Amino acid sequence: MKPIQMVDLRTQYEHIKSDVDAGIQEVIDSAAFVKGAKVTTFQHHLEQYLGVKHVIPVGNGTDALQIALMALGLKPGDEVITPTFTFIATAEVASLLGFTPVVVDVDYNTFCMTPEAVEKAITPKTKAIVPVNLFGQNANLEALKQMAEAHNLHIVEDACQSMGSYYKFNNGTQKASGCVGDIGCTSFFPSKNLGCYGDGGALFTNDDELAEKIRVIANHGMAVRYYHDSIGVNSRLDSIQAAVLDAKLPHLNDYIAARQKAANFYNEAFSNCEQIVTPTTAPYTTHSFHQYTIKLEGVDRNNVKEALAAKNIPAMIYYPVPLHMQKAYRNERYKQGDFPVAEKICNSVLSLPMHTELDNEQLTFIVENTLDIIKAIR
C-alpha cells in the first residue's frame, strides 16, 4: 500500500505530467512570466467553466477577499458579517481595511453560517455578508441573497474551498460556487480542488463595473500605466501557476468525482458508528469535498488523532478555535458561550485524508483503523 497522505499532489502530477511540463516550458520559452498569455488563456477557460462573465486572477485567496471588499467602497467602521467557524482570512481582511468583522454561529450539520444568525446580526452599520462555503459545499446563498437585497447589502462569497460545487436554486436552476453573490473569491493553494504549485487566487463577478474596479485595484489602482486612479495593491497570478492551473482545469470534474467517491466510501463505512457524525450535504448544494470532516461524539478527538498518527494515518483539525475566541479578536463584544454550535464543533471536528488519488486499499485501511481506535478508547 502506498503511504497515506492528507493530499497526494505528487501522484496527481504524474497523471498530467506531460501537459503540466509542456505548459511550464511554454512560459519559460516565452519569458512572459508576469501577465503572460497563459494567464489570459486560463482566465478565459475558467470563465467558460464557471459560466461567469469575469474572472480576475490574483496572487492568492486572501488577496482576493481583500480586493473584493475594497471594490465595494466600504468605509471605516462599516460592519462585515462572517462565520466564526472558518479560517481567519475573512475577518482578517476586514480588520486590515478598517472595517468591523461581525461573526455569527454556524449550522451543526453543514458548518456554514445560517441565515437566521445573519439576520440577527444585521445593524444599520452592516454593509456586507461574507458567507464561507466551507469544506466544499455552499452556504444557503439564495436565502442570504434575498436578505442582502432586502437590507441593501453586498455578498462576497468565500469560495476558496468549494471550487467545483454548485448552488441549486429553488426554481431548479444552479450556479457554480462563487458566482451567486456580487463577487466570489477563490484560492489556488496547492491542496485546493483546483490548485497550482505555489500561491494563486481569483475573483469572479458578472458585474462589469465591479470587474473593472477589481482589475484596477489589483494593479496598483491604475487602469493606464503610471496613472493611479485609486488606492490599490499589487496582486497577480504568475504565468507558470496559470499554466499549471490550465493543465488541471480539464480534469476538475473528474477530480471532484474522485473526492465524492472517497466521501461515499467513508460515509458508508462509518454509518453504523454512533461516535462518528459524517458530513451532511444540504439539499441546495452539491459537495466537492475539499475536506472530509467528521465530528466525534462521546470520544476524545485528540486521542483519536494521536492513535491514527501512530498508524501512519494523517488527520487534521480544521479549526480548533473559533474566530471570536482567537486572541487577535477577543474583545468585550464576544465571550465564550456566545456561539455554542461553533464552539462545540471546534472541539469535535477531525478531517481525514481526502484527495483525488485515494484508492480502496488506503480507504479501507483508514476506516478500519479509525473504527478500531474509537472502539478501543471510547
Side-chain angles (χ1 to χ4, degrees), residues 272-341:
N272 294 320
C273 181
E274 295 181 357
Q275 287 74 32
I276 297 178
V277 179
T278 55
T280 299
T281 302
Y284 47 74
T285 180
T286 64
H287 205 316
S288 59
F289 288 100
H290 170 60
Q291 302 292 348
Y292 183 85
T293 303
I294 60 175
K295 295 182 289 286
L296 295 176
E297 297 184 343
V299 61
D300 188 280
R301 183 262 313 276
N302 295 330
N303 287 343
V304 173
K305 184 176 183 294
E306 290 175 3
L308 286 170
K311 297 286 187 177
N312 294 317
I313 300 172
M316 296 293 291
I317 299 171
Y318 308 114
Y319 299 95
V321 183
L323 296 190
H324 70 282
M325 295 302 294
Q326 295 284 355
K327 185 176 180 180
Y329 285 96
R330 284 188 181 177
N331 57 53
E332 66 278 0
R333 292 194 306 155
Y334 304 123
K335 63 182 184 301
Q336 187 170 356
D338 283 349
F339 305 105
V341 176

Side-chain angles (χ1 to χ4, degrees), residues 139-155:
N140 191 345
L141 298 171
E142 186 170 16
L144 292 173
K145 189 170 183 178
Q146 292 170 350
M147 191 181 305
E149 290 171 352
H151 293 277
N152 195 29
L153 306 176
H154 301 285
I155 290 185

Side-chain angles (χ1 to χ4, degrees), residues 3 45 48 82 86 105 146 155 174 178 207 250 253 318 326 371:
H45 287 163
Q48 293 168 3
T82 196
T86 185
D105 214 343
Q146 292 170 350
I155 290 185
Q174 64 180 26
D207 187 307
N253 288 343
Y318 308 114
Q326 295 284 355
L371 292 170

Side-chain angles (χ1 to χ4, degrees), residues 52-269:
V52 69
K53 286 183 69 175
H54 304 282
V55 167
I56 302 98
V58 293
N60 55 68
T62 304
D63 278 4
L65 289 164
Q66 178 174 327
I67 292 166
L69 291 182
M70 292 174 72
L72 298 179
L74 276 59
K75 299 177 181 178
D78 285 346
E79 294 178 351
V80 176
I81 298 175
T82 196
T84 190
F85 181 69
T86 185
F87 185 62
I88 202 167
T90 51
E92 183 178 49
V93 296
S95 298
L96 287 170
L97 294 170
F99 311 144
T100 302
V102 174
V103 298
V104 298
D105 214 343
V106 296
D107 180 79
Y108 183 74
N109 294 313
T110 68
F111 303 111
C112 296
M113 61 161 49
T114 67
E116 294 79 11
V118 173
E119 183 74 54
K120 292 178 182 178
I122 293 174
T123 75
K125 292 184 177 181
T126 306
K127 301 300 178 185
I129 303 170
V130 184
V132 179
N133 301 329
L134 202 65
F135 298 151
Q137 72 171 315
N138 295 278
N140 191 345
L141 298 171
E142 186 170 16
L144 292 173
K145 189 170 183 178
Q146 292 170 350
M147 191 181 305
E149 290 171 352
H151 293 277
N152 195 29
L153 306 176
H154 301 285
I155 290 185
V156 174
E157 278 182 76
D158 182 338
C160 290
Q161 297 187 10
S162 57
M163 176 68 73
S165 71
Y166 289 84
Y167 186 85
K168 298 185 284 187
F169 290 86
N170 289 329
N171 64 8
T173 62
Q174 64 180 26
K175 283 188 177 181
S177 185
C179 301
V180 178
D182 298 289
I183 305 173
C185 302
T186 199
S187 165
F188 298 128
F189 188 78
S191 64
K192 302 297 186 185
N193 296 350
L194 180 63
C196 55
Y197 293 165
D199 273 320
L203 298 94
F204 321 134
T205 186
N206 286 304
D207 187 307
D208 296 341
E209 184 178 348
L210 274 176
E212 183 57 26
K213 286 182 179 179
I214 290 166
R215 291 190 186 98
V216 169
I217 291 169
N219 189 33
H220 291 290
M222 63 181 179
V224 178
R225 193 168 180 83
Y226 301 128
Y227 290 83
H228 304 271
D229 301 321
S230 62
I231 301 298
V233 299
N234 176 29
S235 187
R236 55 204 178 201
L237 180 70
D238 75 69
S239 300
I240 287 179
Q241 301 308 330
V244 172
L245 292 165
D246 205 43
K248 283 189 172 187
L249 183 57
H251 303 276
L252 181 56
N253 288 343
D254 290 336
Y255 291 162
I256 300 303
R259 289 174 176 271
Q260 291 169 337
K261 182 180 179 181
N264 289 336
F265 188 104
Y266 280 136
N267 286 344
E268 184 175 349

